[in-house]
Amino acid sequence: MGFLLERRYAPYSKWLGSGFARLPIAEPLSPHLQRTLYSSEWAEREDALASAYQELARRQNAIGVASFEPIVGPYHDRPFTTINADDAVEAAHSAITDAWIKQLPIVGSLDQISDLTPLLEDAKLSQRMMSQLDS
């Protein structure tokens, strides 16, 4: 998410950490992520992740992607804390002004399910893979 908000391409996973460290958002976000990694209790990790979610939401609002009020709370009736990501998606979708783009379905991307370089670099193969996933 940090790469997306900084409008930078996320590098191959081998270089993700060093690439992330160079992002402007890394400075305010890193303390929360470090606290997540070093906390010995799950509640501390959950709190640190919630702080990271809020930092990402503040950045989204600051760059004008869309504006929404970040709220950290339980995930439905489950005992997990998260941010109101559905509101973030809705705000971003509502901010789209191009009619052609707005009519496209809200979906993820292929690199969410594969980091296989030949697949990601071959447009025809990627499209074929995505069409199989849509079926």
Side-chain angles (χ1 to χ4, degrees):
M1 187 67 172
F3 283 96
L4 184 63
L5 291 172
E6 296 295 348
R7 295 188 166 111
R8 299 285 187 271
Y9 183 77
Y12 177 67
S13 59
K14 177 180 178 179
W15 304 109
L16 194 64
S18 57
F20 175 79
R22 293 184 189 102
L23 297 176
I25 199 169
E27 186 176 342
L29 195 56
S30 290
H32 307 299
L33 298 176
Q34 287 175 348
R35 194 167 53 121
T36 301
L37 291 172
Y38 296 121
S39 295
S40 59
E41 300 294 325
W42 70 267
E44 293 172 25
R45 285 190 297 276
E46 184 177 59
D47 182 61
L49 284 172
S51 296
Y53 304 152
Q54 289 175 315
E55 190 63 49
L56 291 165
R58 282 192 289 275
R59 180 70 179 139
Q60 176 178 319
N61 288 341
I63 65 174
V65 170
S67 186
F68 78 107
E69 181 64 35
I71 300 168
V72 172
Y75 182 71
H76 302 287
D77 60 347
R78 298 177 188 164
F80 308 109
T81 300
T82 189
I83 197 166
N84 53 328
D86 291 341
D87 292 343
V89 171
E90 179 55 38
H93 189 260
S94 295
I96 297 171
T97 57
D98 184 284
W100 186 82
I101 293 175
K102 192 159 186 109
Q103 60 86 29
L104 294 173
I106 298 173
V107 296
S109 64
L110 187 56
D111 63 354
Q112 290 177 306
I113 59 169
S114 175
D115 66 353
L116 185 62
T117 302
L119 173 64
L120 299 176
E121 289 180 346
D122 184 331
K124 288 183 181 179
L125 184 57
S126 295
Q127 290 170 354
R128 195 167 91 214
M129 176 77 167
M130 289 304 291
S131 69
Q132 294 297 315
L133 294 173
D134 291 338
S135 301

